[in-house]
């Protein structure tokens, strides 16, 4: 009987040692539009520098704005005295001519008025189409509205045609000043706004009118920019006459209210402001 073969011992498997592989480091390439990063201290220094620069610019701008405001106020005061002196010089010249004419035993013919203030005193009832259209042209669409009008041949003809519906005359400087300061409104971008120096400068600076005193002088003297200044103003909305009117359908010279009052329009308007 053949002898049995001895069992062969199995070879032990070697333990696999972990294989460490070095990962290749990839350099990150920033895109073209990305701003390279700055270390925090440098970035903070840059931000603080920008803030300080901006604060200095704002402070300098505020100082310049304050200086411009002061210069503008000084210019307005200078213009007020300039206009006042010119009006006073003209009045003094007229007074001297009157005195000279009286001393020589002659007559002095007063200069024709160039400015009129027109007030509508009647409504729309029983009004023919032609006077109604003329009142629309004069911007007198409501009762007790008032406007300034430059007197010439055409405007005088218009005033004669609508005389039964209006009261008009020649305003003095005090009347013009009171109307603009107390009842003055302007037309700015289609809106009715209270008059102030800022709006006047925005709309009339190209006509060398920057403040209320310039506007008053331009209206009172009917200067070369009277058309633009008067168009800028909204028609004045006055109160009813204090104490009432006497007779709207009778002329002023007959004891009524309508028609040309000449210098007595100042007393009439004073009751309505």
């Amino acid at each position: 009987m053949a002898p049995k073969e001895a069992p062969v011992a199995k070879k032990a498997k070697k333990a696999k040692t972990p294989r460490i592989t070095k990962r290749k480091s990839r350099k990150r390439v920033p895109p073209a539009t990305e701003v390279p990063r700055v270390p925090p201290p440098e970035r903070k220094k840059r931000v603080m520098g920008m803030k300080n620069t901006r604060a200095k610019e704002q402070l300098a701008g505020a100082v310049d704005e304050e200086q411009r405001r002061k210069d503008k106020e000084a210019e307005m005061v200078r213009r007020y005295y300039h206009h006042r002196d010119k009006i006073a010089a003209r009045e003094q010249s007229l007074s001297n001519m009157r005195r000279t004419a009286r001393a020589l035993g002659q007559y002095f013919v007063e200069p024709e008025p160039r400015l009129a203030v027109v007030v509508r005193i009647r409504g729309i009832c029983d009004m023919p189409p032609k006077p109604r259209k003329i009142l629309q042209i004069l911007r007198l669409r409501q009762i007790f509205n008032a406007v300034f009008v430059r007197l010439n041949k055409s405007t005088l003809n218009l005033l004669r045609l609508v005389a039964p519906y209006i009261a008009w005359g020649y305003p003095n400087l005090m009347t013009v000043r009171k109307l603009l300061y107390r009842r003055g409104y302007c037309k700015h971008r289609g809106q009715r706004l209270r008059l102030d120096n800022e709006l006047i400068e925005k709309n009339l600076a190209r006509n060398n009118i920057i403040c209320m005193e310039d506007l008053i002088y331009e209206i009172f003297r009917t200067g070369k920019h009277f058309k633009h200044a008067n168009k800028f103003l909204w028609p004045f909305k006055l109160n009813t006459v204090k104490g009432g009117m006497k007779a709207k359908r009778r002329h002023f010279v007959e004891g009524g209210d309508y028609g040309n009052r000449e210098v007595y329009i100042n007393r009439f308007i004073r009751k309505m402001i």
Side-chain angles (χ1 to χ4, degrees), residues 5-29:
E5 294 180 358
V8 181
K10 292 181 179 180
K11 293 182 178 180
K13 292 183 178 181
K14 293 182 178 180
K16 290 185 178 181
T17 57
R19 194 174 183 183
I20 300 173
T21 59
K22 290 184 178 181
R23 185 177 293 177
K24 294 182 180 180
S25 61
R26 296 180 181 179
K27 293 184 178 180
R28 185 171 176 271
V29 180

Side-chain angles (χ1 to χ4, degrees), residues 71-119:
D71 293 343
K72 190 182 296 183
E73 289 179 357
E75 176 66 16
M76 291 177 185
V77 173
R78 188 193 65 80
R79 290 194 178 200
Y80 164 73
Y81 286 110
H82 174 71
H83 298 327
R84 188 192 66 174
D85 294 343
K86 289 187 70 173
I87 293 174
R90 184 175 183 276
E91 293 296 330
Q92 185 64 34
S93 176
L94 291 175
S95 178
N96 292 340
M97 286 189 285
R98 292 190 195 100
R99 191 181 300 110
T100 303
R102 192 182 307 114
L104 297 176
Q106 299 175 352
Y107 293 101
F108 175 72
V109 180
E110 295 286 343
E112 292 185 359
R114 294 182 293 179
L115 177 67
V117 58
V118 185
V119 184

Side-chain angles (χ1 to χ4, degrees), residues 13 15 50 63 76 82 103 143 162 216 232:
K13 292 183 178 181
M50 292 174 60
V63 172
M76 291 177 185
H82 174 71
I143 190 170
V162 295
I216 291 172
F232 169 67

